[in-house]
Amino acid sequence: MCGIVGYIGSKKAYPILIKGLKRLEYRGYDSAGVAMISDSGDLNVYKAKGKVDNLTDYCNDKDVSGCVGIAHTRWATHGEPSARNAHPHYSSTHNLAIIHNGIIENYADIKTQLQAKGVEFKSDTDTEVLVQLVEYIMVKKNLPLVEAVQVALHQVIGAYAIAIIDKRDPRQIIAARKQSPLVVGIGKDEFFLGSDASPIIDYTDKVVYLEDGNIAVIRLGEELKVISILGEEQELKVKTVDIDLGQIEKGGYEHFMLKEIFEQPECLMNCMRGRINVEGNHVTLSAMIDYRQQLLGAKRIVIVACGTSWHAGLIGKQLFESLCRIPCEVEYASEFRYRNPVVTKDDVVIAISQSGETADTLAAIQLAKEQGAFIFGICNAIGSSIPRATNTGTYIHVGPEIGVASTKAFTGQVTVLSMLALCLAAERKTISEDLYKQMVKELTQIPDKMVQALKTNEQIEHLAPIFTYAKNCLYLGRGYNYPLALEGALKLKEISYIHAEGYPAAEMKHGPIALIDSEMPVFVIATRDRLYEKVISNIQEVRARGGRVTALVTEGDTQIQKFADHVITLPDTLECFQPLIASIPLQLLAYHIAVCKGKDVDRPRNLAKSVTVE
Ligand code: G6P
């Protein structure tokens, strides 16, 4: 992952770079660094282990002058997180500095070759290999920077978004990308670089999303030039970004995660806007109109995703099978891509990804494409790599998600999956007209019901301290609530570092029941649905072994209080939409437990928001 920022113009680069890095910290925060060509022409590189604040502390007494610079926030792949391995990396002569997001897979071979020619390395990173290679080529072949970059990129295998500056030419930044995102912002006599548009939008809304295999030649006083690795000039596709700055700031909440949990009713309205009619009885997706034949022709649906998006996929599977009668499989993208799966041209592959950049999901798409499948994307980040790699898709439109633990993207994904399943079911006539209308109507009621569910916040905040000392937690659910049990457990693990497992409630007796004692909190999603009575039996099984049960129940429930230690009451809805409501208390629970434990909720250790490495 890693975050990349760059600036060249007439303003002071340092504040712009630091502000940009802070916006990109969700991509990794093992270390941060900055390289600037100072007013006196020096190329200064400063770096620090940990978060961007450590870098700014370090830079307090340094020369941070200059109007051109590049900066980086790192999620370590090669080389331990340390200042030494932090980016930017100098070349041997200290004429060049590079930042990189991605992995150079053949770095060890190139490093050996360069070492044999006398090049000395200062770090353990794959990135340093690239800058040394570029410098070696510049000197050996007497080439200008841009041409040396072209030659070097021919030799490397792997994924990259890079930016390089040369102190002998302070009017230029060279940037390139392959499989890692990179955006160039075009201002008035100034340019910006970002892994996404968030570091850029304060200054300009004109951007170019660099495409795979392309190089941006950014020169002050000239127009932005985009060329291929072969040097062929590419058409400049300037887009206007439409991100509201308020959307990416905390808006009065203590953490982005809490803000994003509370935003969900509004997000889901945005997600359904223009897709469900005002009467609330019909849903249309433009992809369904444009690609009707391909989508209706699906003999099977295969969902590929990672993390929380995979959990949304598990809910999608139940929707597609029960409403549309289409067989559906849900695959971890990282497994799918390497296990030679059977994929045919009769398959529709749905790739779900909040960031639209997850490397494994992108690779899974590539594989499915090669086998002739039709690819449908469900993403949040507009213009990101996955939507561009798919045949069609539907954005979830929930706005930027900054908290590393995914919340609003999950409910947005489930909403899009629900709308898609309803469209397909209606076209395939596998749903009665009455049920279709009832379901569409109910979907439009979900934002209001989420507002109700958010009222549990205070109760959960009070409950949270009870659970902070737990070493293990169990989350149980059945049917549509089983993926939610997985998601609830994942949220807790991610931000509070308490081990948690999600299980289908009835499966508990085949193993996890052995773990139950009075020390282990058990969270049961026991909303009123077809399996309600069975879940009550599961709760009793837990109680009989001294387990402490916290149950999520439907309003009006009187039975479960008799067995549960704590009860959280939620508004009623259709069974298949229950995860949209019940996810809220589970997110709040994880959030408040983590806050009680004093954890860094928005930036949990070892995790990153956008996983652009496999
Ligand atoms: C990371 C994030 C998760 C996310 C997963 C998949 O692990 O921390 O929150 O669910 O990647 O990301 P994607 O952007 O593809 O949904």
Side-chain angles (χ1 to χ4, degrees):
M1 21 252 150
C2 307
I4 282 185
V5 192
Y7 175 75
I8 186 163
S10 53
K11 299 191 180 97
K12 294 257 163 268
Y14 181 71
I16 296 172
L17 296 173
I18 294 296
K19 192 168 176 188
L21 283 185
K22 289 197 166 167
R23 293 252 168 91
L24 290 178
E25 255 189 332
Y26 72 86
R27 300 180 68 84
Y29 32 81
D30 286 331
S31 62
V34 61
M36 287 163 305
I37 302 175
S38 73
D39 292 340
S40 52
D42 295 326
L43 176 54
N44 293 319
V45 171
Y46 306 124
K47 24 200 205 182
K49 187 175 169 187
K51 296 178 180 153
V52 177
D53 286 341
N54 297 359
L55 175 68
T56 50
D57 287 348
Y58 178 76
C59 288
N60 263 341
D61 56 353
K62 304 283 183 298
D63 172 8
V64 291
S65 66
C67 303
V68 53
I70 53 179
H72 187 267
T73 176
R74 177 168 186 247
W75 188 79
T77 59
H78 292 65
E80 54 159 14
S82 64
R84 191 170 84 92
N85 288 331
H87 302 211
H89 290 285
Y90 277 123
S91 61
S92 298
T93 58
H94 283 206
N95 283 331
L96 306 180
I98 192 172
I99 50 175
H100 167 219
N101 169 29
I103 292 179
I104 306 299
E105 288 172 14
N106 58 339
Y107 82 103
D109 288 347
I110 300 176
K111 188 170 183 173
T112 313
Q113 287 163 25
L114 289 172
Q115 279 169 328
K117 295 188 164 104
V119 178
E120 278 179 25
F121 285 81
K122 299 272 173 340
S123 77
D124 311 319
T125 64
D126 51 337
T127 305
E128 191 191 351
V129 172
L130 192 50
V131 74
Q132 300 286 23
L133 179 63
V134 170
E135 180 164 86
Y136 181 79
I137 294 166
M138 277 179 96
V139 175
K140 177 104 202 278
K141 305 201 169 179
N142 192 23
L143 287 177
L145 177 62
V146 60
E147 287 179 35
V149 169
Q150 285 171 239
V151 177
L153 292 181
H154 263 111
Q155 295 181 26
V156 302
I157 299 169
Y160 51 79
I162 55 164
I164 306 188
I165 51 176
D166 182 340
K167 80 169 182 189
R168 296 157 297 185
D169 188 0
R171 296 179 68 78
Q172 175 177 265
I173 302 178
I174 301 294
R177 79 154 263 175
K178 187 180 162 212
Q179 291 167 26
S180 294
L182 201 53
V183 187
V184 185
I186 307 172
K188 196 173 174 307
D189 304 321
E190 58 184 356
F191 296 95
F192 305 83
L193 267 179
S195 292
D196 64 30
S198 65
I200 299 173
I201 53 173
D202 300 76
Y203 315 100
T204 177
D205 61 356
K206 297 276 168 288
V207 300
V208 170
Y209 292 97
L210 211 58
E211 304 210 348
D212 260 2
N214 282 352
I215 298 174
V217 183
I218 304 165
R219 277 204 78 81
L220 263 191
E222 292 180 18
E223 281 220 346
L224 172 67
K225 197 160 108 187
V226 176
I227 58 171
S228 70
I229 292 191
L230 296 171
E232 299 142 338
E233 196 152 341
Q234 306 292 301
E235 186 197 342
L236 206 59
K237 295 181 193 151
V238 182
K239 300 243 161 78
T240 305
V241 274
D242 181 21
I243 305 179
D244 171 6
L245 205 55
Q247 279 183 305
I248 54 172
E249 285 176 354
K250 280 189 206 147
Y253 287 92
E254 203 181 326
H255 295 98
F256 281 113
M257 183 178 175
L258 192 61
K259 172 178 174 251
E260 287 158 7
I261 293 172
F262 271 85
E263 273 173 359
Q264 289 176 100
E266 198 190 331
C267 291
L268 290 212
M269 283 195 280
N270 289 338
C271 179
M272 289 185 269
R273 185 162 294 131
R275 293 164 173 169
I276 296 185
N277 61 354
V278 276
E279 292 77 28
N281 57 16
H282 186 66
V283 52
T284 331
L285 296 177
S286 54
M288 204 53 214
I289 299 169
D290 300 341
Y291 295 92
R292 188 173 178 279
Q293 201 191 334
Q294 290 89 333
L295 292 170
L296 286 181
K299 295 224 165 58
R300 181 178 73 143
I301 292 175
V302 180
I303 298 177
V304 290
C306 303
T308 289
S309 300
W310 185 79
H311 294 155
L314 293 176
I315 294 169
K317 172 186 166 76
Q318 298 193 36
L319 288 164
F320 293 128
E321 294 198 335
S322 75
L323 296 181
C324 317
R325 310 305 298 153
I326 306 175
C328 178
E329 284 162 34
V330 189
E331 300 260 4
Y332 283 118
S334 53
E335 288 295 310
F336 179 82
R337 64 180 290 194
Y338 284 119
R339 67 166 185 78
N340 195 15
V342 177
V343 183
T344 73
K345 59 177 178 29
D346 295 327
D347 290 330
V348 167
V349 169
I350 300 182
I352 309 178
S353 173
Q354 186 287 128
S355 62
E357 298 294 349
T358 303
D360 284 320
T361 309
L362 260 173
I365 290 173
Q366 198 51 41
L367 184 148
K369 250 188 185 171
E370 283 160 15
Q371 320 260 336
F374 185 79
I375 321 285
F376 187 99
I378 298 180
C379 294
N380 189 32
I382 298 179
S384 55
S385 303
I386 291 176
R388 284 185 280 132
T390 51
N391 296 103
T392 186
T394 301
Y395 281 115
I396 60 174
H397 287 317
V398 299
E401 192 181 65
I402 308 294
V404 166
S406 186
T407 52
K408 61 180 183 171
F410 174 73
T411 46
Q413 290 162 347
V414 173
T415 304
V416 166
L417 286 162
S418 304
M419 290 193 288
L420 180 59
L422 283 165
C423 286
L424 286 170
E427 293 271 2
R428 289 169 58 91
K429 305 208 181 326
T430 48
I431 188 172
S432 70
E433 213 176 306
D434 283 351
L435 180 59
Y436 169 81
K437 285 194 176 144
Q438 188 201 352
M439 289 188 69
V440 178
K441 186 91 207 156
E442 184 59 23
L443 201 49
T444 64
Q445 311 290 310
I446 296 293
D448 284 344
K449 295 188 177 182
M450 281 181 149
V451 172
Q452 288 287 318
L454 283 164
K455 294 191 176 144
T456 60
N457 184 42
E458 218 173 300
Q459 181 197 2
I460 293 171
E461 191 175 355
H462 283 113
L463 276 180
I466 305 174
F467 304 117
T468 49
Y469 300 102
K471 296 262 177 298
N472 298 290
C473 292
L474 190 59
Y475 286 72
L476 301 175
R478 299 189 73 162
Y480 285 98
N481 287 333
Y482 160 54
L484 194 60
L486 294 175
E487 176 59 9
L490 179 66
K491 288 291 85 95
L492 190 72
K493 277 186 272 207
E494 282 179 312
I495 58 172
S496 72
Y497 318 143
I498 295 174
H499 171 250
E501 279 199 59
Y503 243 78
E507 194 59 24
M508 170 191 65
K509 55 186 165 298
H510 299 290
I513 201 163
L515 299 169
I516 291 174
D517 61 17
S518 59
E519 308 275 285
M520 184 163 84
V522 181
F523 301 104
V524 188
I525 308 148
T527 46
R528 207 173 302 108
D529 56 28
R530 277 172 311 135
L531 296 167
Y532 173 72
E533 299 294 342
K534 299 197 183 293
V535 174
I536 292 187
S537 307
N538 300 138
I539 292 177
Q540 281 169 331
E541 287 158 15
V542 174
R543 289 292 290 162
R545 275 123 194 125
R548 320 291 291 171
V549 174
T550 301
L552 270 52
V553 303
T554 309
E555 58 194 349
D557 190 299
T558 48
Q559 285 208 57
I560 293 180
Q561 317 199 348
K562 295 178 202 149
F563 319 111
D565 298 270
H566 310 286
V567 161
I568 297 167
T569 304
L570 297 171
D572 196 10
T573 183
L574 295 174
E575 187 176 326
C576 62
F577 299 145
Q578 200 55 254
L580 291 170
I581 310 285
S583 54
I584 287 186
L586 295 181
Q587 294 163 354
L588 288 169
L589 200 61
Y591 171 79
H592 287 297
I593 293 174
V595 170
C596 281
K597 294 190 74 167
K599 302 299 178 205
D600 189 346
V601 173
D602 285 332
R603 295 174 299 183
R605 71 183 181 204
N606 303 341
L607 295 178
K609 183 89 191 138
S610 177
V611 185
T612 52
V613 293
E614 65 168 284

